[in-house]
Amino acid sequence: MTTHPMVKAEGVHKSYGPVEVLKGIDLEVAPREVFCLIGPSGSGKSTFLRCINHLEKINAGRLSVDGELVGYRQKGDRLYELKDSEVALKRRDIGMVFQRFNLFPHMSAVENVMEAPVQVKGESKSSARTRALKLLDRVGLADKAGNYPSQLSGGQQQRVAIARALAMEPKLMLFDEPTSALDPELVGDVLDVMRDLAEEGMTMVVVTHEMGFAREVGDALVFMDNGVVVESGHPREVLTNPQHERTKSFLSKVL
């Protein structure tokens, strides 16, 4: 049983040139926790999410997943950046679902889900296919296994993307506004799949505008603005009784 946090950020800074996007983020995500990040566009939420699996490199601070530093190795009191191959190896444990589905257009749904286990883990095609079909069934798309992305709705594509991330059997799932590109009537199906994952004990960090999901499913919630954590707590507490004026102002516009 893991005793350390699944994600731990200590004084995380990230800049693009002169623009400081993250200004010293401190937070912890416990194993099996659904951790929601909310805040206005440009507040640094998605950048922080991308730092967790080293798609973006941090400029200062420390970031660890399941007790291991992300993208770096410590020797003495110095940090050394890992090689790309070592980063890729660690990234296998972290599933990520993007706003845009990023499916391979020339592959069917089942082939999209099979691809990483076969190419990255060296799993046999027959074994990967069996598991991919089970995962598509799990996200309610057993009947769409042979369909190509162009034959699927946005909501269906996003559910294939979730199945694809799960195919690598990650210990942590990152969701970057997974419903924001979807038509409103398709959002519910994707949130239902995420709800099921939460019930199964998957550790999840979710950047979202879906306040209902954060309130019902989230275990912890952070409101970010301008690169800092403004307020954090239990989702129901923060959403119904925000303490900070900036949080109150944001929530008055979105609730």
Side-chain angles (χ1 to χ4, degrees), residues 6-9 12-14 16 21-22 25 27 29 33-38 42-58 63-65 70-71 87 91 94-100 158 172-180 194 203-209 222 224 227 229:
M6 185 58 80
V7 178
K8 184 171 186 176
V12 169
H13 287 256
K14 172 67 185 173
Y16 297 105
V21 182
L22 300 176
I25 301 293
L27 57 80
V29 180
E33 191 168 56
V34 178
F35 192 99
C36 296
L37 290 167
I38 65 167
S43 57
K45 310 180 301 293
S46 294
T47 299
F48 177 69
L49 206 66
R50 292 169 69 85
C51 290
I52 294 175
N53 66 355
H54 208 58
L55 286 174
E56 299 284 357
K57 297 175 184 179
I58 65 176
L63 192 51
S64 55
V65 170
V70 173
V87 171
R91 205 178 273 145
I94 305 172
M96 185 151 186
V97 178
F98 299 89
Q99 202 168 340
R100 296 282 167 194
Q158 192 60 296
L172 169 67
M173 285 282 281
L174 309 177
F175 292 89
D176 189 7
E177 298 188 16
T179 58
S180 63
M194 293 170 65
T203 311
M204 297 156 64
V205 183
V206 185
V207 171
T208 186
H209 292 297
V222 155
M224 279 178 69
V229 171

Side-chain angles (χ1 to χ4, degrees), residues 59-231:
N59 299 110
R62 295 164 69 89
L63 192 51
S64 55
V65 170
D66 201 14
E68 293 191 16
L69 284 172
V70 173
Y72 298 90
R73 178 188 294 111
Q74 183 159 2
K75 268 193 179 169
D77 53 4
R78 293 197 60 181
L79 294 181
Y80 296 89
E81 192 164 358
L82 297 178
K83 296 187 188 117
D84 288 348
S85 58
E86 295 173 293
V87 171
L89 204 59
K90 299 212 172 189
R91 205 178 273 145
R92 287 164 37 159
D93 291 332
I94 305 172
M96 185 151 186
V97 178
F98 299 89
Q99 202 168 340
R100 296 282 167 194
F101 327 119
N102 297 349
L103 298 177
F104 296 115
H106 61 290
M107 291 183 181
S108 65
V110 71
E111 287 167 343
N112 264 284
V113 179
M114 288 167 59
E115 180 70 1
V118 171
Q119 297 299 334
V120 179
K121 284 188 168 177
E123 196 173 328
S124 75
K125 282 194 173 177
S126 62
S127 156
R129 184 180 179 82
T130 302
R131 246 172 10 93
L133 290 169
K134 280 186 185 157
L135 286 167
L136 287 172
D137 185 38
R138 185 173 167 186
V139 299
L141 292 173
D143 58 333
K144 303 289 184 190
N147 289 40
Y148 288 86
S150 61
Q151 301 169 310
L152 300 171
S153 71
Q156 289 168 336
Q157 289 186 60
Q158 192 60 296
R159 285 185 280 154
V160 173
I162 293 172
R164 180 180 60 181
L166 292 173
M168 290 296 282
E169 300 177 313
K171 54 188 166 190
L172 169 67
M173 285 282 281
L174 309 177
F175 292 89
D176 189 7
E177 298 188 16
T179 58
S180 63
L182 302 179
D183 292 333
E185 69 268 25
L186 303 175
V187 167
D189 291 337
V190 172
L191 293 180
D192 285 344
V193 170
M194 293 170 65
R195 208 173 265 116
D196 290 344
L197 280 178
E199 285 173 9
E200 289 165 18
M202 175 63 77
T203 311
M204 297 156 64
V205 183
V206 185
V207 171
T208 186
H209 292 297
E210 301 290 339
M211 300 301 157
F213 174 85
R215 187 188 293 111
E216 293 160 36
V217 184
D219 299 301
L221 180 140
V222 155
F223 170 65
M224 279 178 69
D225 186 33
N226 199 25
V228 298
V229 171
V230 176
E231 190 163 340

